Amino acid sequence: MRIAIDAMGGDHAPGVVVEGAVAAAKEYKDVELTLVGDKARIEPLLTEQLPNLHIMHASEVIEADDEPVKAVRRKKDASMVVAGRLVKEGAADAMISAGNTGALMTTGLLIVGRIPGIDRPALAPMIPTLDGVGVLALDLGANMDATPEHLLQYAIMGSIYRSKVHGIERPRVGLLNIGTEAMKGNELTKAAYPLLEGAPIHFVGNIESRDILQAECDVIVCDGFAGNIMLKTLEGTASVIFSALKTEFTRSTLTKLSAAILKPGLAAFKNKFDYTEHGAAPLLGLGGLVLKSHGSSDANAFKNAVRQARTALQNNLVGAIAVEIKNGK
Amino acid sequence: MRIAIDAMGGDHAPGVVVEGAVAAAKEYKDVELTLVGDKARIEPLLTEQLPNLHIMHASEVIEADDEPVKAVRRKKDASMVVAGRLVKEGAADAMISAGNTGALMTTGLLIVGRIPGIDRPALAPMIPTLDGVGVLALDLGANMDATPEHLLQYAIMGSIYRSKVHGIERPRVGLLNIGTEAMKGNELTKAAYPLLEGAPIHFVGNIESRDILQAECDVIVCDGFAGNIMLKTLEGTASVIFSALKTEFTRSTLTKLSAAILKPGLAAFKNKFDYTEHGAAPLLGLGGLVLKSHGSSDANAFKNAVRQARTALQNNLVGAIAVEIKNGK
């Protein structure tokens, strides 16, 4: 299994990327890792030589504020684009990047390319749930608008991912909606509902956004706009409440003491809302495996992304999706 | 000013409705209130006779689980429908109901009727913000799908409401979106953006759902589906976090003591998320004033809804919307 890692992507690149790759190369001997990026910056960070860890030089970097399509088209020697090309050409089986999300989606679409029959690849991060397991949500922003047929493909791809990568035997697939009854929703969800009912998945019906944290399904399907609204509201609300708690806790010596007693329990709870703990998000529907790591990923997150890619490759995730989509046509 | 109150709507009807109406009739002598509902149940609750508080008998009640359109069409003598008819016929200037939301929207549309030129009336509740003021959000579920022109009308109506009812001189109107740049979003928001820029409002651009609690605008415009996803995610996340806090606080005697010290500050913060504190939601775009009170409203909430209706009537809210919509055509 050959995995290309965009060494220049993410808030703390290339330092933590290299560190994570070294740790992964040591632990997963059956994986060949290639760090793609500025050789002059990567080499000094390599604390040790490992037989399964390589460097491929790339002279350019896509920045966080680059316009995605323009950047991918113009910066042909950007680390992210080069990694995508390795996947496209079969020189790598998967790529991992913590860089510009839009640019990575463009790299997936323009460089790696779609699985035949897939209309729109989808970004599928895990949303934290109260039980600590999380729900795979797609699409979370690769495509703002979706048709009922797109939602059907998202459902099939998400279900296969949860089964192949997380070992869930019969993943419960829900449709993000404003009510639980079958005929609730907008034109999109009303038309998607019967398609999902007829799909080769374990469809559990509509899921209301207020219940998203209750882990009532393993996969939640939505258009990119609604999904983004949901995720950002969740993040915003949690962040506002936690910072208000902090303010209350530090109001006086007495409240500080009280807070100290409550802290361990609260910290454990707060960690459930930590998105970086939930692994990299796959871009599903591409002809090769592409994983998006969180921009603020640390070395451990990169190591975990390698493990995630390894599991997906061992279980032939992309092949399984291709077969299912072909069968459905 | 004549206001009809659906005495049978809400979780605690008719008791708290009558109680609230009595309090309002006493405080606002310039208002004539009519309690619409089962006379045999309302009369014994009337603790005192007031010259400006009347009863109009209505023999039927629309229940919380009634199918809205069917209920409004069939239960012609339902308290909600009768109140709507009073507004339609000019026997009342406004109506207030805490009953079935869908049925009230149907009553607004079929009984009260739209302002000429308005395509879709919108439900516009206040969403709590950290500063305690709140943002008027519309549409929050009256129509699941919207066109760019609908969003334009929502923006104009919301802006007039904030100005006429809340006295905000130049209400800031934002567009709910997935990024702040002008060209972000789905087809709907991208097409609505230039319309809002050209409207006679103070348009402040796109607002991300993660910032909704930060009070960056006075009115937020969205289609009913996205708005519902946002509101329900906000409610669900807040409720989950507050109940997890409660669990942590009651874990041991020591945490209980600590929690007691933190409680006053936290309760004040939690109250900001209490939707019942934010008044009744107007149904904007109708030919008469229709206010939706929260189902769990207490007597004080009903009294406040009367004050809210009174302010809207004093400032001729409906007339102002009608003029602006006519001018825009």
Side-chain angles (χ1 to χ4, degrees):
Chain A
M1 289 171 285
R2 298 151 310 162
I3 302 170
I5 303 178
D6 172 8
M8 313 308 284
D11 305 344
H12 314 296
V16 297
V17 192
V18 175
E19 198 187 324
V22 168
K26 278 169 144 173
E27 184 152 340
Y28 310 115
K29 308 278 190 210
D30 54 356
V31 164
E32 295 285 324
L33 294 178
T34 301
L35 285 160
V36 183
D38 185 349
K39 199 168 184 174
R41 290 185 65 195
I42 297 168
E43 227 159 25
L45 295 166
L46 270 183
T47 43
E48 48 195 308
Q49 297 297 321
L50 295 161
N52 60 337
L53 182 58
H54 319 281
I55 302 176
M56 170 168 283
H57 182 67
S59 61
E60 293 175 290
V61 174
I62 295 184
E63 308 291 347
D65 56 357
D66 272 347
E67 201 282 302
V69 178
K70 212 178 283 178
V72 171
R73 288 222 166 106
R74 293 195 187 158
K75 294 183 171 176
K76 293 196 193 304
D77 202 37
S79 55
M80 185 191 285
V81 175
V82 172
R85 213 177 294 132
L86 290 178
V87 174
K88 174 66 182 178
E89 292 166 355
D93 305 299
M95 75 170 281
I96 297 165
S97 175
N100 182 320
T101 307
L104 185 60
M105 294 188 297
T106 307
T107 297
L109 209 55
L110 301 185
I111 312 288
V112 178
R114 287 170 295 172
I115 289 173
I118 288 285
D119 298 319
R120 307 275 183 97
L123 185 64
M126 291 291 281
I127 290 184
T129 50
L130 281 180
D131 62 2
V133 177
V135 50
L136 189 84
L138 70 171
D139 172 36
L140 255 281
N143 319 284
M144 282 303 123
D145 292 284
T147 65
E149 289 70 29
H150 295 153
L151 295 190
L152 171 63
Q153 293 193 337
Y154 299 165
I156 291 169
M157 295 193 294
S159 180
I160 294 174
Y161 184 85
R162 291 291 269 167
S163 149
K164 294 287 179 187
V165 177
H166 295 153
I168 300 173
E169 209 172 306
R170 222 170 139 244
R172 298 161 302 163
V173 180
L175 175 63
L176 180 66
N177 213 330
I178 56 106
T180 51
E181 304 89 335
M183 280 319 292
K184 282 276 179 182
N186 58 8
E187 284 172 26
L188 174 65
T189 59
K190 283 193 264 188
Y193 195 98
L195 296 184
L196 296 178
E197 276 189 312
I201 54 171
H202 177 28
F203 180 51
V204 294
N206 291 325
I207 302 283
E208 279 198 83
S209 59
R210 74 158 82 234
D211 298 324
I212 197 69
L213 294 166
Q214 314 288 352
E216 292 178 351
C217 60
D218 304 302
V219 177
I220 186 123
V221 171
C222 52
D223 69 84
F225 189 84
N228 192 293
I229 295 289
M230 175 185 67
L231 184 61
K232 296 285 172 64
T233 308
L234 204 164
E235 288 177 344
T237 308
S239 133
V240 154
I241 295 179
F242 287 129
S243 60
L245 282 179
K246 211 172 166 184
T247 308
E248 289 304 327
F249 287 178
T250 52
R251 204 173 278 282
S252 70
T253 311
L254 201 57
T255 61
K256 274 182 201 163
L257 279 170
S258 308
I261 289 162
L262 295 165
K263 222 171 179 179
L266 290 180
F269 175 71
K270 196 179 167 214
N271 273 346
K272 290 186 183 163
F273 286 88
D274 187 350
Y275 291 75
T276 55
E277 294 290 312
H278 282 271
L283 254 167
L284 298 176
L286 298 173
L289 184 64
V290 177
L291 292 181
K292 166 75 180 86
S293 281
H294 206 280
S296 62
S297 292
D298 59 11
N300 199 44
F302 279 102
K303 187 188 152 201
N304 286 340
V306 171
R307 190 191 54 200
Q308 203 176 333
R310 181 171 171 265
T311 308
L313 293 173
Q314 283 172 334
N315 293 290
N316 190 18
L317 170 74
V318 173
I321 292 176
V323 166
E324 194 63 50
I325 293 296
K326 205 177 164 189
N327 288 346
K329 289 280 156 180
Chain B
M1 286 171 288
R2 298 152 310 162
I3 302 171
I5 303 177
D6 172 7
M8 313 308 284
D11 304 344
H12 314 296
V16 297
V17 192
V18 174
E19 198 188 324
V22 167
K26 280 169 142 173
E27 184 153 341
Y28 310 116
K29 308 278 190 209
D30 55 355
V31 163
E32 294 286 325
L33 294 178
T34 301
L35 285 161
V36 183
D38 186 348
K39 201 169 181 174
R41 290 185 64 194
I42 297 170
E43 228 160 23
L45 295 166
L46 270 183
T47 43
E48 48 194 309
Q49 296 297 319
L50 294 162
N52 60 337
L53 182 57
H54 320 282
I55 302 177
M56 172 169 280
H57 182 65
S59 62
E60 293 176 289
V61 174
I62 294 183
E63 308 291 347
D65 56 357
D66 272 348
E67 201 281 303
V69 178
K70 213 178 284 179
V72 171
R73 289 222 164 107
R74 294 195 186 158
K75 294 184 173 176
K76 293 196 193 302
D77 202 37
S79 55
M80 185 191 285
V81 174
V82 172
R85 214 178 293 132
L86 290 178
V87 174
K88 173 67 180 178
E89 293 166 354
D93 304 300
M95 75 169 282
I96 297 165
S97 176
N100 181 320
T101 308
L104 185 60
M105 296 188 296
T106 307
T107 299
L109 209 56
L110 300 185
I111 311 287
V112 178
R114 286 170 295 172
I115 290 173
I118 288 284
D119 297 319
R120 306 276 183 97
L123 185 65
M126 293 289 281
I127 290 185
T129 51
L130 281 181
D131 62 3
V133 177
V135 52
L136 188 84
L138 71 172
D139 174 34
L140 254 283
N143 319 285
M144 282 303 124
D145 291 284
T147 66
E149 289 71 28
H150 296 153
L151 296 190
L152 170 63
Q153 293 192 338
Y154 299 165
I156 292 169
M157 296 193 295
S159 179
I160 294 174
Y161 184 86
R162 291 292 269 168
S163 149
K164 294 286 178 188
V165 178
H166 296 153
I168 300 173
E169 211 172 303
R170 223 170 139 245
R172 299 160 300 163
V173 180
L175 176 63
L176 180 67
N177 214 328
I178 56 106
T180 52
E181 303 89 334
M183 282 317 294
K184 281 277 178 180
N186 58 8
E187 283 171 26
L188 174 65
T189 60
K190 283 194 262 187
Y193 194 98
L195 297 183
L196 296 178
E197 275 190 312
I201 53 170
H202 178 29
F203 180 51
V204 296
N206 292 324
I207 302 283
E208 280 197 83
S209 60
R210 73 159 82 233
D211 298 324
I212 197 67
L213 294 166
Q214 314 288 352
E216 291 178 353
C217 59
D218 304 301
V219 177
I220 186 120
V221 171
C222 51
D223 68 84
F225 188 84
N228 192 292
I229 295 289
M230 174 186 67
L231 184 61
K232 295 286 174 62
T233 309
L234 204 162
E235 288 176 344
T237 308
S239 134
V240 154
I241 295 180
F242 287 129
S243 62
L245 282 180
K246 209 170 165 184
T247 309
E248 289 304 328
F249 287 177
T250 53
R251 204 172 279 282
S252 69
T253 312
L254 202 57
T255 60
K256 275 182 201 165
L257 280 170
S258 309
I261 290 161
L262 293 164
K263 221 170 181 180
L266 289 180
F269 175 72
K270 195 180 168 211
N271 274 347
K272 290 186 185 164
F273 286 88
D274 187 352
Y275 290 76
T276 57
E277 294 291 311
H278 283 271
L283 253 167
L284 298 176
L286 297 173
L289 184 63
V290 177
L291 292 181
K292 166 74 180 86
S293 280
H294 206 280
S296 62
S297 293
D298 58 12
N300 199 44
F302 279 102
K303 187 188 151 200
N304 287 339
V306 170
R307 192 191 55 202
Q308 203 177 332
R310 182 173 171 263
T311 309
L313 293 173
Q314 283 172 334
N315 293 289
N316 190 16
L317 170 74
V318 173
I321 292 175
V323 166
E324 194 63 50
I325 293 297
K326 203 177 165 189
N327 289 344
K329 287 280 154 179

